[in-house]
Amino acid sequence: MNLFLGTVLLLLVLPDAARGQESCAALSRGDKHRWCCNILVELKQRGDGTLSPDLPQRCQELGRSGSPACACLRERWLRLLQSAGLGLHSGLAGLKVLLLNVSRAVTQDVLITFSPTEGPTTLNVTEKGKAGKIQLPKEIFQSLSSQTERVVVTVLNIHQLGMFKELNQRGQVLDNIVVGITVGEMSISGLQDPVQLTFAHRQLPHGVTPQCVFWDASKGQAGGWSSSGCVTQTEDKGTICSCDHLTFFTLLLNPALDRSTAQALMAVATTGCGVAMAFSIFTIAFCIFLRCRFRSEETLRINLGLHMNLVGSLFLLNLAFLLNSGLSGGTHPATCKVLGGFTHYCLLCCFTWMALEGCHLYLLFVKVLGTYIHHYLVKLCLVGWGFPVLVVGVAGVIGSYGEYCIQTMDHQVIVHLCWITSKYLLVHYITNCGYFGLIFLFNTAVFGVVTQKSCCLQGTGTVQGDRKTWKVALVAMGLFCLLGATWALAFLTHGTSSVFMLYLFTILNSLQGIFIFIWLVVLYYPKTKETTGSLIHIIKHNKTTTVSQD
């Protein structure tokens, strides 16, 4: 009985009474299904005999059903529970309540602490740093119509009460605790000075994103979590939730990956990498064919040489990933370190060659200089393949590589990888995230300038030829992909909506070799002379000087 009574309380003590009235009003719109369990729900309540404390025991679907009858019955329970006081809550496992009478003449914010074991208490009772904190702004009480108003703060253990479980919920509720706040019988929202809840916790596992949410009774069939109106601020020993309304709040811990998602992503990446490796070989062969065919076009040969090296680095990265996913589970620690370093090296090579592609375009289109530099491509290769060796060497000396595990909230390992270990995540943020961020900003600027200059030259009639719009757009998209645009999706793979971005990031980057192959074929074949001429003509038109360096 106590379990079901707490279940009802969770869904009933919601701040927006208007939603409940709308649910009851739905019964008057010709709804023939006015039964919730074996209880006939009328538009006008006839006494309170039906709303007895043992109602959840007699109506177990009350907390699950989305029918108007059950929604209306839940709203009526709200009014009953709000008026019953501590007498109704006594002895109920999983529910702790604090009642306060606050005057409208209050001059300071109201401070309350709460913990999973003690529930809500006044600030001077709970030891500092051992529990969460609630800060109710004085704005709430200064706008009251009455002199005093009752504040009800509830701490609910949803595991014991069996409620507040959203359909297909990915995240886990911190400590299974939900904190409810109501002031009188008003629905309070749109606060200029938000209410703040501090959820105390230890350092969260890597890959877990905290999110401040509240229970939205109108979401889904029987309610769900929403973050609208709440701002999340993570600190070392807790997370601060600032929300502009009063309701039931919790801290949802969203894993970057769950087991099924991780397995699906690994399957997609493995398949994509295998296909991309084959197309990388085709691309390199196609570039060699074009270099042999256009021996007199030095600029074209340099361009194709850059593309070949970039595609070669992508081939090695795909190979490293396949080796990593196939061997990391039971690999010897020394072998895992080598494999982790090799994977990191291949990734840095890809980023470096993307940067060199951008630098080359900058020289051709922006600096308006010739690119005849003695052993130009050889020097680019020294940078493209040599610079990552220095970075990986330093990271290896300090012991950055080893087994990296992605875990669920209950510390079950989802994926084993040979990569930069969790102890040296700063190395990852600097050498991967920071390094690519700088490259992407530079390449984006170069792409914008090149696109603008090309459009201007076409508009003035400088570039002649039958250039279809779709082909121009495809060439531009391929160039942007060549400069690493798809890798920028990594910065969007955080938060509750990251699953879609993870899939998009995995698919696009595992198929980057295919995109480059299609781009080169469209750009250079079958009208190689015409297409090449249009590109080279833009370059030659802008050259005013030729620089030679030894």
Side-chain angles (χ1 to χ4, degrees):
M1 172 178 173
N2 288 339
L3 176 63
F4 294 114
L5 183 59
T7 294
V8 172
L9 178 62
L10 291 175
L11 284 179
L12 296 181
V13 190
L14 292 170
D16 197 350
R19 289 177 180 165
Q21 294 170 358
E22 291 176 358
S23 298
C24 292
L27 298 176
S28 64
R29 294 197 289 264
D31 185 12
K32 298 180 181 180
H33 304 285
R34 297 187 177 182
W35 291 87
C36 184
C37 298
N38 295 322
I39 302 173
L40 177 62
V41 182
E42 301 289 349
L43 178 62
K44 294 184 179 180
Q45 184 176 351
R46 301 176 181 179
D48 60 355
T50 301
L51 303 179
S52 57
D54 63 343
L55 175 61
Q57 186 176 9
R58 296 186 286 111
C59 183
Q60 298 185 15
E61 70 176 277
L62 186 65
R64 302 190 301 267
S65 176
S67 67
C70 290
C72 179
L73 201 58
R74 286 196 296 266
E75 169 57 27
R76 290 174 180 174
W77 259 97
L78 166 63
R79 294 193 291 270
L80 175 66
L81 296 174
Q82 286 179 330
S83 62
L86 288 174
L88 185 63
H89 311 317
S90 60
L92 182 60
L95 172 65
K96 299 182 183 299
V97 182
L98 174 66
L99 298 180
L100 294 176
N101 292 320
V102 181
S103 171
R104 61 179 299 182
V106 63
T107 59
Q108 296 180 344
D109 294 346
V110 177
L111 300 178
I112 302 167
T113 60
F114 64 92
S115 68
T117 56
E118 299 297 330
T121 57
T122 55
L123 183 61
N124 59 353
V125 174
T126 304
E127 185 179 352
K128 184 178 180 181
K130 298 296 184 180
K133 185 176 68 173
I134 302 172
Q135 182 175 344
L136 298 176
K138 58 184 179 181
E139 168 195 352
I140 297 176
F141 308 100
Q142 292 175 347
S143 60
L144 297 175
S145 57
S146 58
Q147 291 297 324
T148 61
E149 197 64 76
R150 186 175 68 169
V151 178
V152 181
V153 180
T154 55
V155 175
L156 311 148
N157 188 308
I158 64 174
H159 178 71
Q160 292 179 304
L161 298 175
M163 282 306 300
F164 280 138
K165 295 183 179 180
E166 184 180 9
L167 183 64
N168 298 325
Q169 178 177 318
R170 294 182 60 247
Q172 178 178 335
V173 174
L174 177 67
D175 296 330
N176 293 316
I177 291 300
V178 172
V179 179
I181 308 172
T182 57
V183 176
E185 297 182 357
M186 298 182 301
S187 175
I188 297 177
S189 60
L191 294 173
Q192 296 296 324
D193 188 10
V195 57
Q196 289 189 348
L197 295 91
T198 302
F199 290 89
H201 55 73
R202 297 175 296 177
Q203 184 176 1
L204 298 175
H206 177 68
V208 173
T209 303
Q211 183 186 27
C212 298
V213 294
F214 71 94
W215 186 257
D216 185 356
S218 64
K219 184 178 180 180
Q221 181 178 356
W225 296 112
S226 174
S227 60
S228 177
C230 291
V231 177
T232 306
Q233 180 181 351
T234 304
E235 297 182 348
D236 293 337
K237 297 183 179 180
T239 299
I240 300 176
C241 300
S242 300
C243 301
D244 63 358
H245 57 284
L246 298 183
T247 179
F248 277 82
F249 303 96
T250 193
L251 188 65
L252 203 61
L253 304 179
N254 297 299
L257 292 175
D258 54 30
R259 184 176 298 276
S260 59
T261 303
Q263 292 174 348
L265 287 172
M266 290 294 291
V268 170
T270 302
T271 303
C273 287
V275 175
M277 288 178 64
F279 275 88
S280 296
I281 296 176
F282 298 155
T283 303
I284 294 174
F286 184 66
C287 289
I288 294 175
F289 164 75
L290 291 177
R291 281 172 60 87
C292 294
R293 181 171 183 179
F294 298 99
R295 295 178 181 274
S296 60
E297 294 285 352
E298 185 64 23
T299 302
L300 175 62
R301 288 171 56 83
I302 292 176
N303 291 339
L304 292 173
L306 278 169
H307 302 338
M308 288 174 57
N309 281 278
L310 176 59
V311 174
S313 66
L314 289 173
F315 176 85
L316 292 178
L317 180 60
N318 290 325
L319 176 62
F321 176 80
L322 293 179
L323 291 175
N324 209 326
S325 60
L327 300 178
S328 58
T331 307
H332 190 274
T335 305
C336 192
K337 290 181 179 180
V338 174
L339 184 57
F342 177 67
T343 306
H344 191 204
Y345 170 77
C346 295
L347 181 63
L348 292 179
C349 286
C350 288
F351 292 163
T352 305
W353 279 108
M354 291 174 192
L356 293 176
E357 290 273 6
C359 290
H360 184 65
L361 282 175
Y362 178 80
L363 290 175
L364 292 179
F365 285 86
V366 181
K367 294 295 290 183
V368 199
L369 297 176
T371 56
Y372 180 72
I373 301 174
H374 193 54
H375 299 307
Y376 177 65
L377 191 58
V378 175
K379 294 177 180 179
L380 292 182
C381 289
L382 290 176
V383 177
W385 300 106
F387 175 72
V389 173
L390 299 178
V391 178
V392 173
V394 173
V397 169
I398 64 176
S400 301
Y401 303 115
E403 186 179 48
Y404 178 80
C405 299
I406 300 177
Q407 299 179 344
T408 61
M409 287 302 302
D410 53 357
H411 302 288
Q412 294 183 359
V413 177
I414 300 176
V415 178
H416 291 274
L417 292 174
C418 292
W419 183 238
I420 301 172
T421 61
S422 301
K423 183 180 178 181
Y424 292 94
L425 283 179
L426 183 61
V427 175
H428 164 69
Y429 292 134
I430 295 176
T431 62
N432 296 330
C433 300
Y435 183 49
F436 173 75
L438 295 175
I439 292 173
F440 179 71
L441 290 176
F442 172 74
N443 283 355
T444 302
V446 171
F447 175 78
V449 173
V450 170
T451 303
Q452 185 269 340
K453 188 177 290 289
S454 300
C455 292
C456 290
L457 292 175
Q458 291 181 22
T460 58
T462 303
V463 179
Q464 305 294 334
D466 184 17
R467 305 291 301 279
K468 296 183 179 180
T469 304
W470 69 268
K471 190 172 183 178
V472 174
L474 184 61
V475 169
M477 290 177 58
L479 182 61
F480 201 35
C481 176
L482 197 72
L483 297 177
T486 56
W487 289 89
L489 294 174
F491 296 109
L492 304 178
T493 56
H494 298 279
T496 55
S497 60
S498 64
V499 175
F500 170 76
M501 298 308 302
L502 282 170
Y503 275 106
L504 189 62
F505 173 82
T506 303
I507 293 173
L508 291 181
N509 285 292
S510 61
L511 300 179
Q512 189 177 12
I514 301 177
F515 298 154
I516 295 177
F517 174 77
I518 296 175
W519 178 69
L520 287 175
V521 170
V522 172
L523 187 62
Y524 293 106
Y525 187 85
K527 297 181 180 181
T528 52
K529 290 186 178 180
E530 176 184 342
T531 308
T532 303
S534 64
L535 178 62
I536 300 302
H537 184 74
I538 295 175
I539 299 171
K540 289 182 177 179
H541 180 80
N542 285 279
K543 290 181 181 179
T544 57
T545 60
T546 301
V547 177
S548 178
Q549 299 179 6
D550 293 328

